[in-house]
Amino acid sequence: MTAWAVEQESRSGAYRFSMRMTRVLHHSVGEHQEMLLFENELFGRVLMLDGVVQTTERDEFFYHEMLVHVPCFAHGRVERALIIGGGDGGALEELLKHESLRQVTMVEIDQGVVDFSKEHLRSICGAAFEDPRLELVIADGAAWVAETEQRFDLIIVDSTDPSESGPSAVLFTEAFYRNCAGILDEGGLLVSQNSLPFSEPQALVGPFARIRAAFGAATCYRVPVPSYIGGEMTLVLAAKDGALPSPADEGLEARVAAAGIECLYYTPAVHRGAFALPPYVTRLLG
Ligand code: SAM
C-alpha cells in the first residue's frame, strides 16, 4: 500500500499537502519533537518535524541560499555569525562558503536533528558540521542569547514555525529579539524565517511587529519554496539601530562576483527583486 506523509495547514486546517513516501528512513518521537525522514521521487529525502516539512534534498537551495546570501552580501563582510536552530546544517553549509567568515556559533535545541542530518542529509549539510570555524551549542536559543557575552555581525534564526506548544515559540518573542539586537555589532543584521504569508499570516504579523519594536526598523523579502505548504515564504531582515541595508546598494554585484559562490537560486537581481513586496504582504506588515 502507498504511504503518504501529510502536512496540514495549521490556521484553518482546510488545506493538506501530501508527499508519497517511497521509503521511511527514520521515525521517532524525542524529548523535543517528532522526527520523520523519508524519500520521495520528486523531492528526494524529506525531513519533517512535528508534521511540518523542514527541508528536502531537491528544493533546499531556494530557502538556504536566500536565508544566508541576502544578509551576507547586504552586510558585505560577515566575520562572526550566530545560527539559532538550523539543525539540518543547510544554512550553515551556505554560510561557510563566505571566505570572510571566521567563526560561527550554532545554537540548536535538539542534538538529535544534528546527528540525524549528519547521518542522512549529507547532500544538504555536506561537511559543514566538521568545519573548524563552527562552535555547536546544544541549548535553547532564547536562553543562550539572553546570557551570552559574544558579539556577532549576523544572526540567522532558522527555526521551526512558531506554535504555542513547540520549542520555537520563544524565538518569536520581543524579549528574544531585543536580546538579539543587544548582541549585534555595529552594522550587524538579523534574519528570521517568518513562515508563509498566504497560509500562515499570523506568523509574520506578530513577529514582524515585535522585530520592528526591538530593532527600530525591519523589512522583509520573499522566497518561493515548493515543498512548504503555502508556496512563498517571508524572511524578515532587521539591522542594529534600525540601519537597514538598501536593496538598491550599488556595490552588490561586485561583492557577489568577488565571492564566486555558485548558486542555483541567488543572484544580485533575485536579491533586489525579493524585496519588492506585493500589497497582500505589505498590508500584513502594518
Ligand atoms: N527550514 C526550516 C523551516 O523553515 O521550517 C527550519 C529548519 S531547522 C531543522 C529548525 C530547527 O530549529 C530544528 O532543528 C529545531 O530543533 C530548532 N529549534 C526549534 N526551537 C528551538 C529553540 N528554542 N532553540 C534552538 N533551536 C530550536
Side-chain angles (χ1 to χ4, degrees):
M1 206 178 77
T2 307
W4 292 80
V6 179
E7 177 173 341
Q8 178 158 305
E9 173 271 305
S10 63
R11 190 169 55 116
S12 69
Y15 173 33
R16 287 178 176 177
F17 173 94
S18 48
M19 290 183 187
R20 188 163 50 216
M21 298 193 282
T22 44
R23 191 155 74 105
V24 174
L25 296 160
H26 178 97
H27 186 205
S28 63
V29 181
E31 182 194 345
H32 298 290
Q33 50 214 341
E34 179 189 2
M35 228 187 282
L36 172 66
L37 181 76
F38 60 91
E39 279 174 0
N40 171 274
E41 297 100 315
L42 179 62
F43 289 102
R45 293 187 173 193
V46 180
L47 173 65
M48 283 180 110
L49 296 180
D50 288 337
V52 178
V53 172
Q54 300 295 307
T55 193
T56 86
E57 280 184 320
R58 303 266 166 75
D59 77 346
E60 58 92 22
F61 63 89
F62 290 88
Y63 173 78
H64 289 132
E65 288 182 10
M66 291 298 277
L67 181 69
V68 171
H69 299 317
V70 168
C72 278
F73 286 122
H75 181 281
R77 191 169 176 81
V78 171
E79 294 186 1
R80 283 156 302 146
L82 170 66
I83 299 176
I84 303 288
D88 54 56
L92 177 64
E93 202 248 350
E94 289 302 326
L95 188 60
L96 290 166
K97 293 177 182 171
H98 289 262
E99 281 182 3
S100 62
L101 192 85
R102 289 193 292 151
Q103 184 237 319
V104 51
T105 303
M106 175 187 277
V107 184
E108 162 61 59
I109 202 166
D110 194 341
Q111 175 79 54
V113 181
V114 174
D115 292 345
F116 181 79
S117 302
K118 281 160 72 174
E119 191 180 342
H120 298 289
L121 293 174
R122 282 288 176 179
S123 57
I124 294 178
C125 64
F129 287 110
E130 285 77 40
D131 194 291
R133 290 171 288 177
L134 171 68
E135 183 200 4
L136 177 64
V137 179
I138 299 301
D140 169 48
W144 191 89
V145 161
E147 285 174 9
T148 186
E149 291 187 354
Q150 292 186 52
R151 295 293 176 267
F152 300 94
D153 301 310
L154 172 63
I155 300 174
I156 296 174
V157 187
D158 185 15
S159 67
T160 38
D161 292 338
S163 87
E164 277 167 30
S165 55
S168 66
V170 289
L171 305 179
F172 294 86
T173 62
E174 193 171 324
F176 169 68
Y177 297 134
R178 285 195 185 279
N179 288 331
C180 285
I183 61 168
L184 279 176
D185 262 336
E186 201 65 30
L189 299 176
L190 170 133
V191 66
S192 163
Q193 79 90 345
N194 282 79
S195 200
L196 301 121
F198 175 72
S199 56
E200 308 277 353
Q202 75 285 1
L204 176 61
V205 174
F208 184 81
R210 287 174 224 135
I211 293 176
R212 191 165 47 195
F215 283 80
T219 185
C220 80
Y221 60 100
R222 297 179 300 150
V223 57
V225 187
S227 64
Y228 289 169
I229 189 165
E232 73 169 358
M233 173 164 227
T234 34
L235 302 173
V236 175
L237 185 68
K240 180 87 178 169
D241 301 324
L244 284 170
S246 164
D249 170 359
E250 286 177 4
L252 187 62
E253 277 76 5
R255 287 200 294 279
V256 175
I261 297 173
E262 226 174 89
C263 289
L264 291 171
Y265 189 77
Y266 179 89
T267 69
V270 168
H271 176 137
R272 294 189 206 290
F275 286 88
L277 302 178
Y280 95 94
V281 173
T282 49
R283 279 180 201 156
L284 298 174
L285 304 183

